[in-house]
Amino acid sequence: MELKLPPVIVFFVFGLLMFLLNKFLPFGFFDFFGRLLMVKVLAGIAVGVLAIAIFQFFITKTTVDPGNPAKVRQLVTNGLYKFSRNPMYLAMLLMLLAWGLKLGNAFNVLLASGFVYYMNRFQIIPEEQILGRKFGKEYMKYVTKTRRWF
């Protein structure tokens, strides 16, 4: 697999990059009414999505270890996984967007999109290839019905 870093490390690296960009880029600040409320809402949705996604893996007794998708015992396609093939990564993205809003620097959107690119290229596509080999037609049918992110 082409995985370079565990997704949670990638998440924290991009969060740190957002912080550093905010600290050292002297322009790009924005504010609007309800910005901090939106931060809380996005963060709350992210935590909820992550908790539900992990719980779904737990009850189906399959692995949440993204470093070894070959350990997956069962394809999860119900609940949140009906709407997103990667709700855990979606939760990370929502948390990064909340963090970017909290910091208030418009350029953090670029870093959030960089997170999406990195995850697609180095995590999700390799995972999809392994799952496709493991679950065959069942997985291909799932891929055609369900979007990668949301």
Side-chain angles (χ1 to χ4, degrees), residues 90-104:
L90 176 60
M92 290 179 190
L93 174 61
L94 292 173
M95 192 60 80
L96 285 174
L97 291 172
W99 177 236
L101 274 174
K102 171 109 174 84
L103 294 171

Side-chain angles (χ1 to χ4, degrees), residues 109-125:
V109 172
L110 297 174
L111 287 172
S113 63
F115 172 79
V116 171
Y117 172 80
Y118 183 93
M119 293 303 290
N120 279 334
R121 171 67 177 84
F122 295 105
Q123 185 66 39
I124 295 171
I125 291 173

Side-chain angles (χ1 to χ4, degrees), residues 56-94:
Q56 283 188 255
F57 270 40
F58 177 75
I59 62 173
T60 58
K61 295 181 174 70
T62 193
T63 184
V64 295
D65 178 9
N68 197 350
K71 287 185 186 177
V72 173
R73 294 182 184 173
Q74 184 176 342
L75 191 59
V76 181
T77 60
N78 60 346
L80 288 177
Y81 291 87
K82 251 188 207 179
F83 307 102
S84 171
R85 295 194 313 260
N86 299 288
M88 291 183 217
Y89 303 149
L90 176 60
M92 290 179 190
L93 174 61
L94 292 173

Side-chain angles (χ1 to χ4, degrees), residues 126-137 139-140 143:
E127 278 180 9
E128 289 175 344
Q129 292 168 347
I130 291 167
L131 293 172
R133 285 192 297 272
K134 185 163 190 155
F135 295 105
K137 288 182 183 177
Y139 184 71
M140 292 305 136
V143 166

Side-chain angles (χ1 to χ4, degrees), residues 2-67:
E2 296 180 45
L3 176 64
K4 304 296 182 202
L5 296 170
V8 72
I9 300 296
V10 174
F11 166 75
F12 283 115
V13 165
F14 275 89
L16 177 62
L17 290 172
M18 289 175 139
F19 173 78
L20 293 172
L21 181 123
N22 185 63
K23 187 167 178 71
F24 295 110
L25 189 67
F27 54 90
F29 180 78
F30 69 94
D31 197 8
F32 57 88
F33 178 76
R35 179 173 63 94
L36 296 180
L37 175 62
M38 188 178 239
V39 168
K40 292 176 185 177
V41 168
L42 276 174
I45 292 170
V47 169
V49 166
L50 183 61
I52 292 168
I54 289 172
F55 181 71
Q56 283 188 255
F57 270 40
F58 177 75
I59 62 173
T60 58
K61 295 181 174 70
T62 193
T63 184
V64 295
D65 178 9

